[in-house]
Amino acid sequence: MMISITGTPGTGKTHLAEELRSRGYEVLDINEHVRNNGLLEEKDDARDTYCVDTDSLDLSLEEYRMKELILIEGHISHCVECDMIIVLRCSPDILAKRLKERGYSQNKITENVQAEILDVILCEASETDVPVCELDSSSDCVTDLANRAEDMIKGNTDKYRPGNVDWTGELEKWF
């Protein structure tokens, strides 16, 4: 079983992945995998990011599909074939603060916060044919996030279905 942990940059994917690793789960950092396997394509200077051929990425993950359980973490992990997708969500103001602390430009902060408000990754994930869960990382400590992620991994997904998180009240502030 391959489970994707995805979300807008800054939503807490890496912290969650670290906590799940400490609990014995195998977690693949998709960004590191892309770099190590030469899957980065041209740089989009306007958006200050690199493109990735997701078909090539998907093919490069074949060896991991043989495992009983593997978690893949990264903001494009929902773009590959998997069995379940966990989308981390975060309040726009908290997300902006986290991205600012990372040194993101104001344009990149605004782009990512707008994507979060508009549910871009959640919508992309929901277009797949696999179960999608939504997890708000705004205020929970990483231990609580990991407990809820483990609940999802064990199959208790009903209370985490998409639609529980709504940032549309922040539209005027960020657009």
Side-chain angles (χ1 to χ4, degrees), residues 128-148:
T128 66
D129 292 330
V130 300
V132 176
C133 297
E134 188 176 40
L135 184 55
D136 184 355
S137 65
S138 301
S139 59
D140 284 347
C141 70
V142 71
T143 302
D144 292 338
L145 283 176
N147 289 342
R148 293 192 294 151

Side-chain angles (χ1 to χ4, degrees), residues 84 150-158:
M84 182 169 78
E150 278 189 304
D151 196 30
M152 295 173 200
I153 292 165
K154 292 174 183 172
N156 301 317
T157 59
D158 286 344

Side-chain angles (χ1 to χ4, degrees), residues 57-75:
L57 173 58
D58 198 42
L59 288 172
S60 75
L61 296 172
E62 281 306 312
E63 69 182 275
Y64 296 100
R65 289 193 174 86
M66 305 304 167
K67 298 184 178 279
E68 185 176 328
L69 175 63
I70 180 86
L71 307 175
I72 56 172
E73 173 263 321
H75 78 279

Side-chain angles (χ1 to χ4, degrees), residues 18-58:
E18 289 168 358
E19 177 65 20
L20 291 171
R21 271 189 205 99
S22 76
R23 296 179 184 202
Y25 290 93
E26 184 174 0
V27 184
L28 176 68
D29 177 334
I30 212 78
N31 295 325
E32 182 179 319
H33 178 82
V34 164
R35 285 188 301 275
N36 291 344
N37 289 278
L39 298 171
L40 283 178
E41 294 184 336
E42 69 277 354
K43 184 171 185 179
D44 180 343
D45 289 322
R47 295 180 58 227
D48 191 25
T49 190
Y50 285 89
C51 298
V52 175
D53 177 349
T54 55
D55 291 333
S56 296
L57 173 58
D58 198 42

Side-chain angles (χ1 to χ4, degrees), residues 77-89:
S77 64
H78 64 284
C79 298
V80 300
E81 190 175 319
C82 59
D83 301 296
M84 182 169 78
I85 302 171
I86 299 172
V87 180
L88 266 63
R89 306 295 308 280

